[in-house]
Structure formats: structure tokens, C-alpha cells
Amino acid sequence: MDKPVIAITGPSKGARLPRFFVAAAVKLYGGKPLQLHPGTALDPDAYHGVVITGGHDVEPVLYAAEPEVKPNYDSERDVLESAVIKSALASQKPLLGICRGAQLLNICLGGTLHQSLREQRKKTSHRWTIFPMKTLCILRDVNGHIQQRLGQGRRKINSLHNQAINALGEDLTVSARDLDGIVQAIESPNRPYTLGVQWHPEFLLYLGCQRALFKGLVEHATRFQQRQAASQ
């Protein structure tokens, strides 16, 4: 059987480094990366799993809210990635949302966002960093993919976001928070591998627990590919 194809979404321009690292992680575990961006013809039959990468803030009109911060949106990307997410959810394809990808996953399932986190932070810094300097608190009572891949207790993560999940979308569970209680990981208990993380694991590939998130995605994409082949 051919390698499972993993679609990696992103903007039309820029973000080459994070997409390179995501593709490297996909290849490491036996997947074949397929880069998607606004303007790409969308063929859901061409891939078996999805990574929605980080980037610009999600436009608040998508969750029926008024802008509260200076606009930094990419409407064309929102349209593409919303379509990719909804298609993956409908077909039960494995999906990993990173940063804005996690936020957009939440929105596609009816959730909302905090548009600015400065007011939410009491114990943690608002400073952005690609290094693992923030604390992730994995919830013990949620025995899901985050706990299975990262283990129990606390882990160190990076932070490159200004927005975060507020109201939780339908069929989603919070599986990790930071020291301020801000949502850091969500997943769907009723789907094979539907996961969103607020940090950037592609910049932490030197840590085995972070690579495990991509390993899990490729493993589930392989199973999806096998089920697809068996049904044809």
C-alpha cells in the first residue's frame, strides 16, 4: 500500500519554516506531505489525514462576533481551512490543528474564541517564544490522545498565540490547560483522531512526546487509508 497522504494547510505566502517542520515530522513517521493553500484545488479524496497549521488570527465573523483587536486576518485561508476541517470531520479523517488550526476546529464545531489573551493572563507571560518556556497542565480525568501521547502531569510547551478557545465547540473536550486555565488542547472523544493544540509542536520535534502527536496522526491516517481501500 502507498504511504498515507497528509494534507498540510497554510497561507499563500510565508510560513515556510513551520510547514517544512510539519512535513518533516510527517515523513519521519511514514506519511507523504501534501501542501494546501488558498487557490489550491481541493480534492478530499487525495489525502488521508490533515494538519491545519498556525498563523493569522481567525476572523471573528466566523463565530458571529465583532472585532475587538486590530485586524490581522486571512479570509481566503479561513475559507480553505474551514472547508478542509468540515470535510475531515464528515469523513472521519484524522486531523491535527495547531494554534489557529485548533481555534478554527473549535469554531467549525460551533465554539468561540478569546480575541485577546492579555486580560486572561495572571500567572503567565504574554511573551511569544518558540522555546518550551510555558507550562502545560494535562488533565488527569481526560484519558484521551494528549494524555496517551504526552503522559500525565505537566509538560513544557512554547507559545506563539494572541487568541485562544473560549466557548467549547460541540463534541469537543478540553484535555490540557496552562497555569492561567487557558485552553491548550482539545479533542473529540467520539472520533478516531481529532485533536487541536494551542502550542507549536513542529518547533519542538527534538522532544519525543511532541513528535508523538504527528506519529499518532500518521498512524490513524494509515488506518483510514486501509478502511478506504477495503471499502472499494
Side-chain angles (χ1 to χ4, degrees):
M1 183 175 290
D2 293 334
K3 295 180 179 181
V5 177
I6 308 298
I8 302 170
T9 69
S12 298
K13 297 180 180 179
R16 292 183 180 180
L17 191 60
R19 297 213 297 184
F20 170 82
F21 284 133
V22 170
V26 166
K27 291 178 182 178
L28 177 65
Y29 292 110
K32 180 179 179 181
L34 171 66
Q35 300 286 352
L36 298 181
H37 54 79
T40 303
L42 185 59
D43 179 9
D45 293 331
Y47 52 88
H48 310 99
V50 177
V51 179
I52 310 293
T53 63
H56 289 84
D57 294 340
V58 178
E59 193 163 5
V61 68
L62 295 180
Y63 49 100
E66 293 293 328
E68 298 173 2
V69 295
K70 184 178 179 180
N72 184 24
Y73 310 135
D74 186 340
S75 299
E76 291 183 346
R77 185 179 176 188
D78 287 343
V79 170
L80 168 72
E81 292 181 334
S82 294
V84 171
I85 290 171
K86 290 175 182 178
S87 173
L89 292 173
S91 61
Q92 298 281 308
K93 283 180 184 172
L95 182 151
L96 173 61
I98 296 174
C99 199
R100 74 165 252 130
Q103 298 164 11
L104 196 54
L105 168 62
N106 186 61
I107 290 168
C108 285
L109 288 170
T112 64
L113 302 181
H114 292 294
Q115 293 186 40
S116 176
L117 291 179
R118 290 189 181 277
E119 297 77 15
Q120 307 297 322
R121 295 195 185 279
K122 306 299 180 184
K123 300 178 181 179
T124 61
S125 168
H126 195 62
R127 184 180 63 178
W128 289 11
T129 174
I130 64 169
F131 300 108
M133 299 177 66
K134 299 291 182 73
T135 300
L136 179 73
C137 304
I138 300 168
L139 304 185
R140 293 182 178 274
D141 58 345
V142 181
N143 184 21
H145 295 294
I146 287 292
Q147 188 176 122
Q148 292 168 15
R149 305 286 168 175
L150 274 69
Q152 295 185 351
R154 296 184 175 187
R155 293 288 182 271
K156 288 295 184 179
I157 55 172
N158 52 25
S159 180
L160 294 166
H161 60 107
N162 183 56
Q163 299 187 323
I165 290 165
N166 185 4
L168 196 62
E170 184 180 354
D171 194 34
L172 289 173
T173 298
V174 176
S175 51
R177 297 179 183 271
D178 66 15
L179 294 175
D180 278 317
I182 296 169
V183 175
Q184 289 291 328
I186 55 173
E187 49 191 282
S188 172
N190 300 314
R191 300 177 187 275
Y193 196 88
T194 300
L195 177 63
V197 297
Q198 189 57 73
W199 69 94
H200 285 257
E202 75 274 22
F203 291 135
L204 302 172
L205 295 180
Y206 51 88
L207 299 174
C209 62
Q210 300 294 335
R211 294 197 304 273
L213 297 174
F214 298 99
K215 181 180 181 182
L217 177 74
V218 176
E219 288 174 348
H220 281 269
T222 300
R223 295 171 194 169
F224 178 87
Q225 182 186 30
Q226 291 169 344
R227 291 195 301 270
Q228 188 181 57
S231 66
Q232 293 177 348

